[in-house]
Structures are given as structure tokens and as C-alpha cells.
Amino acid sequence: MTSLALAAALVAAGAGAAELPRMAQKDGRHALLVDGAPFTMLAAQAHNSSNYVAALPKVWAAVADANANTLEIPVAWEQVEPTEGKFDFSYVDTLVAQARERNVRLVLLWFGTWKNTGPSYVPEWVKFNNARFPRMVDEGGKPIYCLSPHGTETLKADRKAFVELMKHLKKIDGDKHTVIMVQVQNEVGTYGWARDYGAAAQAAFNQPVPAEVLKLQKAPVPGAARGTWKQVYGDYAEQYFHTWAIASYIEEIAKAGRAVYDLPMFVNNALRDAVEPLAPWKKNFASGGPTYDVIGIYKAAAPHIDVAGPDIYEPASNKVTATLDKFKRPDNALFVPEIGNAAGYARYAYAVLGRGAIGFAPFGIDYADYSNFPLGAKATDRTMVEPFGTVFGVFRPMMRQWAQWAYDGRTHGVAEGDDRAPQSFTMRGWKATVSFREWQFGEAKYFSHIQDRPAGTETPNGGVAVAQIGDNEFIVVGQRARIKFEGAGANDGKPSMYARVEEGQFDYKGRWVMERNWNGDQTDYGLNFMARPTVLRVKLGTY
């Protein structure tokens, strides 16, 4: 069976509807299985405080315009347990019911002990009781803003609330699987302080590094093979210790939650610079978060967390590419749970999905009158959503097939770089080169007297994603770009040409529906994609 037929069969079968969502792995690649088959999350994340019933209409309107198949939205500890021991899940009930009505899956974001390193979403009975729920302290013993990961009562209370949430999800959704993943905490760590210096933290810092951490997290600068954190990790010790403490805390919550309802779970993080040389922490990122350099510690300390995902709000293309490369690992699925909602970020969907990611989610996709510019778009209306909606619109009908191709290692993708330069990648038997700012007809060298550029290309916004579905056959999705193929590997040096280039789309049963066949002017100068994303089924041959 061809990969295309297999993917279609998986979509049509529906045999896995009773199976819980779970992560799968083979040969260093990953898939999120939903109803028994790989699933691509074309997701939208709502604003932090849109997690109330009255706010949902503005969320659902934007989700529909985004053509999203998944909504990421918070569930806050403060809203489900405003009084200790008394739980209210009415918001969750409404959210799940409305998602089902719209055929949208949910990823719930647990805003518990930490949200962007702070305690802003904990209940008031936690927030102001420092004796029972201690904050971190600095070197001088002064409390700081962040709740301590060494607070046993804090952990106990957070874990209890999270377990109640997971019990409730199992009760209302255990047979439907509207909720497919859960994020545990949000952008954890500490800004301005490397770690907690309280008595419990000091005692733990002076203990030997756990064996499982030594196995998975090598020291950037070789130190002792074993010993205390300082002896093993030197100048990196405080950051690494804080990472272990927070990851261990998260593990206790995730483990307890999964014991009652075993959904996939992940953590997200505010990034450290992926381009600058690795160096000890210098107050330039949140110490303790799952940044690219300490994923090994999270894997060691929190085995019930499946994925560490990057939250990308740095528009520079070289930094985005470096971040994707660092988070896509044999032991870590690529998943971008947050990315800026400014128009320039939409093109990165091609690179992310082409790299085999399980999901991609712009942040702030709702019509609340709030903008997090300059991290995202200035607009809060449909013009903000449209760049992502056009991309998701072509991927959504084939979201299952694409997920299967990605899991099989058949996908590739590029986003237009800030330098506007061509980019190439090699597949089985073929090399593809993607260029940008091209006219549909002819080569630029033929028309050197023409100085202007195609409308809409003033800023980088092009991208192409390719799935190789057979030896000489491809699904190509593109926007504001040109792609050319040439022989490589077994086909290197052989003359080649298009056998057929069909424009069309997949229907929701996984069947290819052709609109027209490209030829002549449409193929003589590569395959050119304009402002509207287009799907092509391409077959090549040699002679």
C-alpha cells in the first residue's frame, strides 16, 4: 500500500476512536495519535484570560476564521478551586461541549503554581500565604516573586487540584477525546535569580546530582563525573539545579494526573537565544525553564512529560530555524505551542510542519480587545487571523495524511529567510530548491530591465512544504515561492521533467480531488506559488 493510500485508510477506518490520545515514536520521529491515527495540530492559542464562558464567543469566532482544528486554552487553578477543597469545573464543561459542537479538539493549559514564572493564576488562599506556600528567597534570604519549587505544601495543593481536573476530564470526555493534550504549568523558571536559596533548596543543592540526570545531561565544560551540582556542572550548576527542582515538581503533578487519566502532557518555555554561543546563565532568560540546553534534565526528572516545546516570539529567521533544529530531537517531538500572531510568523508553519512537527499554534487567536504587540500583531480583528487561516485552510483537509507522512519521515519544509535567499533540501532521489520574490513567468536574468518585485513580497512571507509520497511523487504546498526539482542520489545527472502537476485538494475522506493539470507556462520555470496557498500533486520522471 502506498503512503497516500495508507494515510487515507487510517482516516477512513475510524477504528481507533476508543483509543486514548498518545505519543508514538519510531526511528527518532514522533506522532501524536488521536483516535488511533497520527494527527497534525493546526492550533490556535487564546489569550491568557480568555478562559471564561462569557469570553468564549470571541475565541470561537477567531478559531473558525483561522481554520484551526485545535484550540489551546488555559484552565486556571484560581478558577477551579477558588476556595480550598471546593472545585468548580463548569467552565471546563462548557468549553468541552462547545468544542465538540465545532469539531475542534482541545489542548488544556494548566496555569497552576507558575504562569510565566509567576503565581498570578494561583488562588488567593495560596497567593498570600507565604508561611504555608513559600516563595523563593534570594542570597540574602529575602522572598522574591516566584513560588518555591521546594514548597511541599504548594506541590501537594497543586497536585490535588490537577488530579481533580484530570478526574473530571475522564468523566466528561473519556470516551470522546475532545481534549487531546495537557500542558503542565506555563513558561516556568525565574527571571533575575538563578535559583532558590532557601534552606530546603540549599540542602538539595549540596546533594549529589541524581544518576538519571548524569546520564542524560552532560556538562558543557567537563567537571567531576559525579558529585554535587557544583562539582559536576561548575558555572552551570545553579541553572541546572533549578531546572531539576522545577522539572521534578512538574513530574509529581503530571505523574499523579496521568495515573487517573493518561493523556499526553507537555511543557512550554520562554526561549534562551538559540544562536548565541552557549554560556552560563547571565540573567538573559528564565533560569529553570525547559530551554534547549537542559532538555536532558527535563527528560530525566519528568518522564511523564512527553514534549518540551518552544514559545517563539523572536521573528529573526535564523533564530527561528536554530530553535526548531534544537528542539527537534530523537527524544523530543517538535511542537510549537506558541508563536507570535504577527503576519510574518505565518510563513514558519511551512518550516515547522515540514520538519515533521506534531503541531503549530499562533498565540492570541481570539477577538478580545487586547494586543501583545510588539511580540505579536497590532490588530485584534480578522486581519490578524487571516495569514494563519490561509495556511491552515490548505493543510486542514489533509491533516491526517500529513501527520502520517511526517511520522514516516517523508516531509520537508522551508520558510522564506530574512535574507530572501534560495533554500534547498534533498529527498530520496531528488533535490528541491525554493526561491522567493519571483515572477510566475521566466527567469529574472531574462528581464534585468524590470526592477520591481511581485506585489505582496515587500517583507518575507513565503514558504513551501513537501511530502514525498512515492519514489517520484510529491505533495507540494506553497505560498509566494518557486520550487524546482532536479535529480539527486540515484537520479543524479539524469535529465528529468514533470510527468504531471495537478492542482487540487484533499477532501475530508482523504481522497485527492484534482482541479486542473499544470503544463506549459505554468511549469516551464519551476512551480510558482502566489499569495493564495496552493496544493499540487507532482509526479516526476527521468529520461
Side-chain angles (χ1 to χ4, degrees), residues 208-359:
V209 178
E212 59 270 23
V213 174
L214 293 174
K215 181 179 178 181
L216 296 180
Q217 186 73 41
K218 304 305 179 186
V221 178
R226 58 185 58 84
T228 66
W229 291 89
K230 186 67 174 178
Q231 290 169 337
V232 174
Y233 294 115
D235 291 342
Y236 293 82
E238 293 197 314
Q239 178 208 345
Y240 284 19
F241 167 74
H242 195 37
T243 301
W244 169 82
I246 292 176
S248 299
Y249 186 107
I250 290 172
E251 166 64 9
E252 290 300 312
I253 295 169
K255 180 180 178 181
R258 296 186 76 156
V260 297
Y261 189 38
D262 192 18
L263 290 179
M265 296 188 181
F266 70 99
V267 290
N268 66 334
N269 78 106
L271 302 178
R272 72 173 300 173
D273 195 313
V275 173
E276 71 176 13
L278 184 65
W281 183 76
K282 299 178 293 186
K283 298 187 178 183
N284 56 338
F285 62 93
S287 176
T291 48
Y292 76 82
D293 53 312
V294 291
I295 292 176
I297 296 177
Y298 269 82
K299 296 297 179 182
H304 286 84
I305 294 295
D306 296 288
V307 182
D311 292 352
I312 301 176
Y313 294 96
E314 168 53 69
S317 61
N318 65 324
K319 293 187 178 183
V320 173
T321 299
T323 296
L324 299 179
D325 289 343
K326 289 181 184 298
F327 277 86
K328 181 184 178 182
R329 299 166 34 139
D331 64 350
N332 192 66
L334 181 60
F335 174 33
V336 179
E338 294 185 34
I339 195 167
N341 66 356
Y345 287 103
R347 73 191 195 272
Y348 293 122
Y350 295 102
V352 172
L353 299 178
R355 280 171 165 75
I358 63 171

Side-chain angles (χ1 to χ4, degrees), residues 499-503 514-519 522-523 537:
R500 194 167 179 83
V501 178
E502 294 182 355
E503 178 184 346
M514 186 191 82
E515 178 181 331
R516 61 175 178 156
N517 185 53
W518 285 15
N519 216 324
Q522 283 72 49
T523 60
R537 185 170 180 172

Side-chain angles (χ1 to χ4, degrees), residues 350 386 390-391 455-457 461 478-481 529-534:
Y350 295 102
E386 190 272 339
T390 57
V391 179
T457 66
N461 54 17
Q479 182 179 18
R480 290 193 172 100
F529 299 93
M530 302 306 287
R532 179 179 61 86
T534 303

Side-chain angles (χ1 to χ4, degrees), residues 484-500:
K484 290 183 175 182
F485 293 88
E486 60 183 300
N491 293 326
D492 189 22
K494 296 180 181 179
S496 63
M497 65 183 300
Y498 296 110
R500 194 167 179 83

Side-chain angles (χ1 to χ4, degrees), residues 472-474 476 485 498 500-501 527 536-540:
N472 303 312
E473 194 168 0
F474 306 86
V476 186
F485 293 88
Y498 296 110
R500 194 167 179 83
V501 178
L527 307 178
L536 301 178
R537 185 170 180 172
V538 178
K539 187 175 182 181
L540 294 159

